């Protein structure tokens, strides 16, 4: 059995600190958005559209909220529960939705999300969850009486 000596523990800490705390080797675009998200939160008030999508197998959930102003997204917030990739997807989508008109939301596909964040095959479900959340937002927009 191997034990961690103070020297090996410091070496491990240095290695983790040297890569920004990314001990598990996530792609840089994922790690940046996971470690410093700027759109986490909740929007309240009239005119906020809220959509959720989840992946029961991965125990992940993504909630996107948008508020429109002058025909385009003026404010966005997200909440994500799951792995760093799921959280990064929420942050990337929130940043990507700002300024977008609802007609443009269809361009935010799982393929585009995967490419932008360098999501590997074993985390593709996170990108699909993101696409599902955007499609749910689009459905709410087309039926404003369902918006909450």
């Amino acid at each position: 059995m191997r034990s961690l000596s103070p020297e090996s523990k410091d070496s491990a800490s240095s290695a983790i600190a040297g890569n920004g705390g990314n001990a598990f080797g996530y792609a840089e675009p994922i790690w940046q958005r996971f470690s410093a998200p700027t759109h986490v939160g909740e929007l309240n008030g009239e005119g906020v559209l809220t959509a959720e999508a989840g992946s029961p197998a991965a125990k992940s959930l993504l909630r996107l909220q948008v508020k429109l102003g002058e025909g385009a997204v003026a404010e966005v917030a997200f909440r994500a529960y799951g792995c760093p990739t799921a959280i990064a997807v929420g942050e990337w989508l929130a940043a990507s939705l700002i300024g977008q008109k609802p007609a443009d939301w269809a361009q935010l596909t799982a393929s585009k999300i995967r490419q932008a964040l360098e999501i590997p095959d074993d985390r593709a479900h996170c990108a699909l969850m993101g696409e599902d959340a955007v499609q749910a937002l689009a459905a709410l927009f087309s039926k404003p009486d369902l918006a909450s």
Side-chain angles (χ1 to χ4, degrees):
M1 180 146 88
R2 191 175 133 200
S3 66
L4 286 177
S5 68
E7 295 81 29
S8 64
K9 191 174 183 181
D10 289 340
S11 297
S13 296
S14 296
I16 291 170
N19 65 3
N22 187 359
F24 298 101
Y26 284 95
E28 190 59 27
I30 292 171
W31 195 254
Q32 286 176 344
R33 285 165 183 83
F34 166 72
S35 60
T38 58
H39 298 92
V40 173
E42 196 170 306
L43 299 177
N44 295 306
E46 199 171 313
V48 174
L49 298 176
T50 302
E52 290 184 354
S55 172
K59 298 180 181 158
S60 295
L61 177 71
L62 175 61
R63 175 186 297 158
L64 285 174
Q65 293 185 299
V66 298
K67 192 170 205 176
L68 299 175
E70 298 183 25
V73 176
E75 292 180 72
V76 184
F78 82 96
R79 294 248 186 217
Y81 304 92
C83 67
T85 304
I87 294 165
V89 166
E91 175 61 27
W92 186 85
L93 284 172
S96 297
L97 282 166
I98 292 177
Q100 292 278 336
K101 294 180 180 180
D104 299 329
W105 296 350
Q107 296 173 16
L108 298 173
T109 63
S111 176
K112 188 169 186 173
I113 296 166
R114 284 191 69 189
Q115 182 178 15
L117 295 175
E118 300 173 19
I119 297 174
D121 291 344
D122 67 336
R123 295 289 173 197
H125 61 277
C126 295
L128 291 168
M129 179 176 65
E131 181 178 335
D132 289 348
V134 172
Q135 287 176 352
L137 275 177
L140 286 174
F141 178 75
S142 66
K143 298 177 184 174
D145 57 307
L146 297 177
S148 57

